[in-house]
Amino acid sequence: MKKQNLVVVGSGSTYTIGMIMSLIEEKKHFPLRTITFYDTNAERQEKVAKATEVILKDKYPELESFTYTTDKKEAFTGADFAFVQIRTGGLAMREKDEQISLRHGAVGQETCGPGGMAYGLRSIGDMIDVVNDVRKYAPDAWILNYTNPAAIVAEALRREFPDDEKILNICDMPAAIMVSYAKILGKEIWDLVPEYFGLNHFGWFTDIYDKEGNRLTDDIKRAIKDDGFLPEDAEIVNDPSWIKTFKQVETMLTDFPDYLPNTYLQYYLYPSQMVEKEDVKNTRARQVINGREKRVHELCDQLISDGTSENAELEVDIHGCYMIRVAASLAYNTGDTFIVIVENNGIISNLQDDAMVEVPAALTSGGPKPFAVGEIPTFEKGLIEGQLAFEKLVVDAWYEKDYKKLLQALTLNRTVVDAPRARKILDDLIEENKDYWPELSSK
Ligand code: G6P
Ligand code: MN
């Protein structure tokens, strides 16, 4: 097995330590020669990097080198894989997005509705730069992108790099949901074969099989109806917000029993309930700042001062493992099935070709080979088409710097709907995003 050179872009992220633990856990599937961290924020990166050094010394002694840098050339030269996870504007801007939406009575969420739009308009430019920078120094590297809002980012990258066949956008939510299915079934996530369709954070499992071909869908539905549904992945198992979110799956399944929903559909199907539950002074961003971010930074400080990982509570989560198994399948041509984001081109036969859809695909060294979905029913198709129009309009607006298209996008979005409200939210978002968004023409 050829050993890989990996660069982690956005290495100051609160998910990076988890990713390192996953790389250690998965080293048999995806052996590494080098790991390089790249981030534009040297200070944020340094803490995570110094802690990573301690972990790797203990648990990955065979690694030839670990380095961290803010220099693009140093970071990307020689890379086989780039794992990209950046957050333009940081958690501070995520909090603003969530609060502005909520103040106008709309869902305040990282990737859904106005929050997703605002974050998308911040991310697109930086993501395009990252891809250009990686390509300059590592023309053949696989770029695996987790950057949110993945649907909007994937659409922008599709337009900007139509011929680049080595960019793959992925989200861990379907996998995190499958971890809970696996728990219900007394199996491991890797034993399950999903059938799934939708857009990112906007999709449904139509069936779940095991590797022997047994259909397990009804067992899962029954268990959810009888016993409810809970997160099981280490990263979210004890998080009250995620517990609430997973519980909502039972309600969704009662109202719409045909398919097993992605948890993110709660924001589109129950927007008023979601708004009622929220506290503008303690939105999800604030919870993450006071929770995960604080916890990870304390963990890093401990690792650095101890100089050993012996006493540290380190956990492997699905976020990293899924990305790594995806990478392994691409690198070693194993053709395993994962849910990824690709251009439709007939996969969902009654949906436009140029949609970026989230579907299962066999991953080979020639890229993703998605499985046909066929025709989808009217309800899901209607929902998808509205959301897709929103996503397309946001990307149009970024390129064309067009206020009108953003107003259309928000009015179309199920979390907003009302045009005067859309205008108020948009105007507040413009004010707060002056440093990040393109300057918009024509009000
Ligand atoms: C899931 C989604 C990600 C999202 C994250 C937010 O993992 O797939 O796209 O960024 O949840 O989680 P948080 O705990 O930050 O709200
Ligand atoms: Mn996601």
Side-chain angles (χ1 to χ4, degrees):
M1 258 172 142
K2 178 191 174 259
K3 289 191 178 180
Q4 307 291 325
N5 297 315
L6 170 69
V7 56
V8 178
V9 180
S11 52
S13 161
T14 55
Y15 284 111
T16 301
I17 296 288
M19 174 62 77
I20 291 298
M21 291 313 295
S22 304
L23 287 164
I24 293 162
E25 172 86 5
E26 297 285 332
K27 59 171 118 166
K28 277 205 197 74
H29 294 113
F30 192 65
L32 293 173
R33 198 169 75 82
T34 64
I35 300 177
T36 308
F37 279 5
Y38 173 78
D39 205 301
T40 51
N41 183 335
E43 197 191 333
R44 203 175 153 86
Q45 177 187 52
E46 187 168 38
K47 191 191 269 291
V48 178
K50 288 242 150 87
T52 298
E53 251 166 15
V54 173
I55 302 174
L56 291 174
K57 177 173 62 70
D58 289 352
K59 300 185 193 289
Y60 217 142
E62 65 275 36
L63 193 75
E64 265 177 45
S65 86
F66 167 67
T67 43
Y68 58 98
T69 178
T70 54
D71 181 83
K72 291 168 189 157
K73 186 174 177 196
E74 193 187 335
F76 302 141
T77 305
D80 299 306
F81 277 85
F83 288 2
V84 184
Q85 180 173 275
I86 61 172
R87 184 184 290 281
T88 301
L91 287 165
M93 286 307 293
R94 175 179 177 180
E95 185 173 38
K96 294 229 161 97
D97 295 345
E98 292 170 344
Q99 291 179 328
I100 289 169
S101 309
L102 270 178
R103 277 198 201 106
H104 294 289
V107 169
Q109 216 282 325
E110 177 194 22
T111 65
C112 302
M117 182 186 85
Y119 188 14
L121 294 170
R122 292 198 296 275
S123 299
I124 292 172
D126 281 355
M127 263 315 298
I128 291 173
D129 289 349
V130 165
V131 172
N132 279 320
D133 291 338
V134 172
R135 280 293 168 258
K136 183 167 173 198
Y137 300 110
D140 285 328
W142 275 103
I143 299 175
L144 303 193
N145 182 41
Y146 258 68
T147 301
N148 267 325
I152 289 168
V153 168
E155 170 63 15
L157 296 182
R158 184 190 71 83
R159 292 191 200 185
E160 191 71 26
F161 304 101
D163 301 322
D164 193 320
E165 290 176 354
K166 295 186 91 174
I167 304 172
L168 187 59
N169 299 283
I170 316 159
C171 165
D172 61 327
M173 197 68 239
I177 295 168
M178 284 171 67
V179 170
S180 291
Y181 298 160
K183 174 83 179 190
I184 288 174
L185 298 164
K187 292 181 182 285
E188 273 204 65
I189 176 182
W190 315 115
D191 301 331
L192 304 182
V193 182
E195 295 198 352
Y196 184 95
F197 73 83
L199 309 171
N200 174 245
H201 291 184
F202 205 101
W204 295 264
F205 290 90
T206 53
D207 267 313
I208 298 288
Y209 292 89
D210 64 15
K211 292 237 156 108
E212 289 71 51
N214 300 304
R215 183 173 176 273
L216 307 170
T217 324
D218 293 333
D219 295 345
I220 296 170
K221 285 184 181 174
R222 205 172 311 118
I224 293 175
K225 288 215 169 119
D226 292 349
D227 311 322
F229 197 51
L230 288 170
E232 299 292 349
D233 182 53
E235 177 59 39
I236 54 179
V237 64
N238 293 318
D239 187 314
S241 163
W242 279 108
I243 292 172
K244 245 194 266 169
T245 292
F246 272 65
K247 282 198 169 146
Q248 192 73 13
V249 167
E250 189 187 341
T251 311
M252 288 196 264
L253 202 56
T254 304
D255 288 339
F256 308 103
D258 292 347
Y259 302 137
L260 290 155
N262 189 303
T263 51
Y264 277 93
L265 284 166
Q266 68 173 344
Y267 299 107
Y268 302 100
L269 299 176
Y270 308 94
S272 333
Q273 259 188 51
M274 293 300 125
V275 170
E276 275 161 30
K277 279 193 209 163
E278 288 299 323
D279 170 4
V280 75
K281 290 205 195 71
N282 190 29
T283 64
R284 185 64 193 155
R286 184 49 43 196
Q287 295 167 29
V288 172
I289 291 166
N290 294 334
R292 184 168 63 237
E293 188 173 56
K294 194 157 165 270
R295 178 165 43 82
V296 168
H297 287 170
E298 283 170 5
L299 177 70
C300 289
D301 289 339
Q302 185 201 340
L303 283 159
I304 296 164
S305 78
D306 288 1
T308 165
S309 60
E310 250 169 55
N311 309 314
E313 246 182 74
L314 291 163
E315 281 194 285
V316 175
D317 62 66
I318 197 61
H319 175 82
C321 290
Y322 204 71
M323 175 95 103
I324 294 160
R325 296 257 180 145
V326 161
S329 200
L330 295 168
Y332 306 115
N333 198 32
T334 57
D336 294 331
T337 298
F338 297 89
I339 295 173
V340 293
I341 302 165
V342 292
E343 195 173 49
N344 187 32
N345 290 326
I347 301 167
I348 300 174
S349 56
N350 52 349
L351 187 71
Q352 67 198 67
D353 279 345
D354 65 356
M356 291 304 281
V357 294
E358 196 166 80
V359 288
L363 300 188
T364 72
S365 49
K369 310 289 175 210
F371 299 104
V373 168
E375 285 201 3
I376 57 172
T378 307
F379 175 59
E380 289 76 10
K381 179 168 181 277
L383 287 170
I384 284 178
E385 283 177 337
Q387 177 67 11
L388 178 63
F390 159 83
E391 290 163 5
K392 293 248 176 213
L393 284 165
V394 172
V395 179
D396 286 352
W398 186 83
Y399 278 104
E400 297 161 23
K401 309 186 182 351
D402 188 342
Y403 179 96
K404 277 195 322 279
K405 288 203 165 169
L406 292 180
L407 183 59
Q408 291 175 348
L410 281 187
T411 307
L412 256 176
N413 197 282
R414 289 184 56 83
T415 66
V416 181
V417 173
D418 181 68
R421 176 158 70 175
R423 192 183 280 282
K424 283 187 201 142
I425 296 174
L426 178 55
D427 290 343
D428 284 1
L429 287 174
I430 290 171
E431 188 57 33
E432 287 294 351
N433 280 279
K434 278 202 288 272
D435 297 342
Y436 301 100
W437 284 14
E439 199 171 325
L440 303 169
S441 60
S442 74
K443 267 217 170 182

